[in-house]
């Protein structure tokens, strides 16, 4: 319902046969580009702010271009990029990226892939990724302590420079080795191109990072790689046969693009890298020891494509597990209840919810009550006009329930900020005059920021946090806020590995139900008549539905990495500092 600017998408293809093989078999020189286009379009849900592609052509003559890159901004970036593709750009290695900014920085400069040029083919490096690093300050200090002077302070650029530096060292190692073997001139270049060990480069680079990532890259000499963080926070899947090696952020994307079964595709595991050498040989290499698995549960609830076999079933379970709390909210009156959902991402959870009620009660009444109607037009600048237009982003099916008789149970995948509920959903649903609205979230209350590649970095964005702070103020519990503030400041003085998340303390005095009631009070539009009750998924229900994705920091505050804990404590300090500053004006 509330569009989150979230994580990016990646796509990679390595053609293992000569280029004319694909033209003869598939009838086009653009086979690689066509498949890359499909991989990217099928992941368009992951990034609409910009896109970029890169390709590398092996065995080009010196003095001719062999490494190409195209980037564009906007929701039509994919179409724009591929309209510029020419036969000259065809190669054996392809990489694509879809961008969602988690830093607020925009512009073509910040669109992936990033390219580091050099006259030595093996030193050319092109990077893209789905990532956010929580300790970029430490990596910056590491680089400057070596005497380097990064021109841009940002995790993408600094990662490019750090990995580029390690790639330079790898090439120089091979140069010495080649000289010791008595090689000269272009024979040295060929030796280097054919013997680069990307595993060495990745181990020396990624050991410095704290964060969630899938980092992908190409080199000018023909190396291709993708490495996943050791906690398994961000996802990646790959496929190999005798014609191609391909990788993407989501499994069904590979299935659809290459007509595969689930069993054909493998998940890149925590700390692993998929490496394809210049000669086309590929292998999986453990770059870092795997840490405690913290695969992101929000991937399963919201971000990933619901067409994935396992995600589809998990979302259905998330809906079905809410049957009992919903039954309590409607006082057991199933006969006088209409069940519906907020389009479009909550639809699968809705099927699970209604399946649960059918098992319990038999037939239930279902309707498509809400329709996604229009997009808010940004040319309207006055706040009052914008708010009025926002109220009409959704429309309703008039006559879909009996006024003042039927309850309306309506499920969404998550309730984050609550803005759309207040400005649009609740206002429009009230026109149907339901006896009661039960607003259901298939995820638990989102209480804590994300720092691993999703645009949810400030505590005050979350309606659950705002409601909790309102309860604290209402009950005169400012000592709790002060104690939490001081505790967070104290934690920030410790080594990050020893830090605890002190922000969790502000939620401890309150039940989920108390916070729910305050959220309803804060989000209820003025003049609304219908009663509202919120029902959230439980933490236990989340883990039962998504057993292989235990990463739940959004809901529990248990961050998988020390950097996440540090940034959460810092976020609370920043929030209180800002309030104090505003109060003193």
């Amino acid at each position: 319902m509330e569009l989150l600017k979230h994580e990016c998408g990646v796509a990679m293809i390595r053609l293992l046969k000569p280029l004319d093989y694909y033209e003869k078999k598939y009838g086009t020189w653009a086979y690689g580009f066509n498949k890359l286009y499909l991989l990217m379009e099928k992941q368009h849900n992951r990034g609409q702010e910009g896109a970029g592609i890169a390709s590398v052509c092996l065995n080009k003559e010196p003095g001719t271009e062999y490494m190409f890159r195209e980037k564009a901004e906007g929701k039509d970036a994919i179409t724009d990029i591929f309209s510029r593709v020419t036969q000259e750009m065809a190669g054996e290695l392809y990489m694509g990226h879809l961008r969602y900014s988690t830093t607020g920085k925009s512009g073509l400069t910040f669109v992936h892939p990033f390219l580091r040029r050099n006259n030595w083919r093996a030193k050319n490096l092109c990077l893209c990724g789905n990532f956010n690093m929580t300790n970029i300050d430490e990596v910056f200090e590491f680089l400057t302590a070596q005497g380097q002077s990064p021109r841009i302070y940002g995790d993408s650029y600094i990662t490019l420079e750090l990995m580029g530096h390690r790639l330079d060292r790898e090439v120089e190692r091979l140069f010495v080795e080649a000289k010791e073997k008595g090689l000269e001139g272009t024979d040295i270049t060929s030796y280097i191109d054919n013997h680069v060990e990307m595993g060495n480069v990745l181990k020396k680079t990624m050991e410095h990072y704290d964060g969630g990532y899938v980092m992908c890259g190409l080199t000018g000499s023909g190396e291709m790689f993708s490495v996943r963080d050791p906690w398994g926070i961000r996802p990646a899947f790959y496929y190999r046969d005798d014609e191609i090696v391909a990788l993407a952020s989501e499994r069904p994307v590979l299935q659809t693009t290459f007509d595969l079964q689930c069993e054909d595709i493998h998940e890149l595991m925590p700390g692993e890298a998929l490496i394809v050498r210049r000669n086309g040989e590929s292998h999986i290499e453990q770059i870092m020891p795997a840490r405690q698995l913290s695969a992101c549960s929000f991937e399963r609830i919201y971000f990933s494509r619901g067409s994935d076999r396992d995600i589809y079933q998990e979302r259905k379970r998330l809906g079905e597990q809410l049957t009992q709390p919903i039954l309590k909210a409607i006082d057991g009156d199933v006969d006088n209840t209409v069940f519906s959902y907020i389009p479009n991402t909550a639809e699968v959870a809705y099927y699970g919810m209604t399946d649960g009620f059918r098992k319990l009660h038999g037939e239930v009444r279902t309707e498509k009550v809400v329709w996604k109607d229009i997009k808010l037009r940004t040319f309207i600048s006055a706040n009052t006009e914008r708010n009025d237009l926002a109220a009409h982003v959704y429309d309703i099916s008039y006559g879909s329930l009996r006024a003042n008789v039927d309850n309306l149970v309506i499920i969404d995948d998550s309730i984050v900020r609550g803005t759309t509920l207040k400005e649009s959903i609740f206002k429009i649903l009230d026109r149907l005059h339901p006896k009661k609205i039960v607003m259901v979230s298939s995820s638990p209350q989102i209480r804590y920021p994300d720092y691993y590649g999703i645009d949810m970095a400030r505590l005050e964005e979350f309606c659950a946090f705002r409601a909790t702070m309102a309860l604290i103020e209402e009950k005169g519990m400012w000592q709790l806020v002060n104690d939490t503030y001081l505790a967070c400041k104290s934690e920030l003085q410790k080594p990050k590995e020893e830090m605890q998340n002190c922000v969790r303390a502000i939620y401890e005095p309150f039940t989920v139900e108390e916070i729910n009631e305050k959220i309803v009070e804060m989000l209820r539009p003025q003049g609304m008549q219908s009663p509202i009750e919120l029902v959230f998924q439980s933490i236990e229900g989340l883990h039962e539905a998504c057993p292989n994705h235990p990463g739940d920091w959004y809901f529990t505050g248990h961050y998988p990495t020390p950097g996440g804990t540090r940034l959460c404590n810092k976020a609370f300090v920043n929030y209180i500092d800002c309030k104090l500053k505003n109060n003193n004006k």
Side-chain angles (χ1 to χ4, degrees), residues 448-467:
Y448 303 93
D450 179 75
Y451 301 106
Y452 305 118
I454 298 169
D455 185 23
M456 299 195 305
R458 297 188 306 152
L459 284 161
E460 57 268 34
E461 292 182 347
F462 309 123
C463 58
F465 176 81
R466 297 197 307 271

Side-chain angles (χ1 to χ4, degrees), residues 177-249:
E177 201 172 275
K179 292 290 285 184
E180 289 174 349
K181 292 180 178 294
L183 300 178
E184 296 290 342
T186 57
D187 289 339
I188 294 178
T189 302
S190 297
Y191 183 85
I192 292 171
D193 289 349
N194 292 320
H195 290 85
V196 171
E197 293 289 347
M198 280 308 303
N200 293 344
V201 176
L202 294 174
K203 287 172 184 175
K204 291 292 187 181
T205 302
M206 305 316 298
E207 65 181 1
H208 297 284
Y209 282 109
D210 177 307
Y213 56 83
V214 171
M215 190 72 64
C216 302
L218 309 175
T219 72
S221 59
E223 302 290 317
M224 183 178 99
F225 63 88
S226 180
V227 58
R228 189 180 183 190
D229 67 81
W231 300 272
I233 295 170
R234 300 273 73 93
F237 298 85
Y238 66 92
Y239 168 72
R240 296 186 283 189
D241 63 21
D242 63 343
E243 289 188 358
I244 60 159
V245 180
L247 178 136
S249 294

Side-chain angles (χ1 to χ4, degrees), residues 113 126 153 201 254 267 304 336 344 376 391 458 523 526 560 577:
C126 196
Y153 187 88
V201 176
L254 291 167
E267 184 173 5
S304 295
N336 294 310
N344 292 316
L376 181 63
R458 297 188 306 152
L523 299 185
Q526 188 173 1
D577 284 345

Side-chain angles (χ1 to χ4, degrees), residues 9 323 403 450 548:
T323 303
D450 179 75
N548 299 318

Side-chain angles (χ1 to χ4, degrees), residues 72-193:
E73 289 186 275
K75 61 183 179 62
D76 298 320
I78 299 175
T79 303
D80 184 5
I81 289 166
F82 281 92
S83 70
R84 297 184 231 147
V85 164
T86 64
Q87 188 166 357
E88 181 193 20
M89 298 167 62
E92 291 82 3
L93 288 77
Y94 297 89
M95 182 167 71
H97 184 266
L98 297 136
R99 182 178 190 260
Y100 252 138
S101 169
T102 59
T103 63
K105 296 178 179 177
S106 60
L108 203 59
T109 303
F110 300 100
V111 175
H112 301 207
F114 296 96
L115 181 59
R116 190 176 191 259
R117 287 291 200 179
N118 193 284
N119 275 351
W120 290 82
R121 279 197 301 257
K123 288 186 176 183
N124 284 269
L125 177 64
C126 196
L127 279 187
C128 75
N130 171 17
F131 63 88
N132 199 58
M133 306 304 187
T134 65
N135 68 329
I136 199 63
D137 52 344
E138 296 174 5
V139 181
F140 182 82
E141 290 174 7
F142 171 76
L143 286 175
T144 54
Q146 291 184 324
Q148 296 190 54
S149 299
R151 295 179 295 107
I152 301 172
Y153 187 88
D155 52 5
S156 299
Y157 178 79
I158 288 176
T159 302
L160 179 70
E161 287 304 312
L162 177 57
M163 191 175 294
H165 171 69
R166 297 314 317 177
L167 182 60
D168 288 348
R169 299 289 82 77
E170 172 68 8
V171 171
E172 287 156 13
R173 177 186 71 81
L174 291 170
F175 179 86
V176 172
E177 201 172 275
K179 292 290 285 184
E180 289 174 349
K181 292 180 178 294
L183 300 178
E184 296 290 342
T186 57
D187 289 339
I188 294 178
T189 302
S190 297
Y191 183 85
I192 292 171
D193 289 349

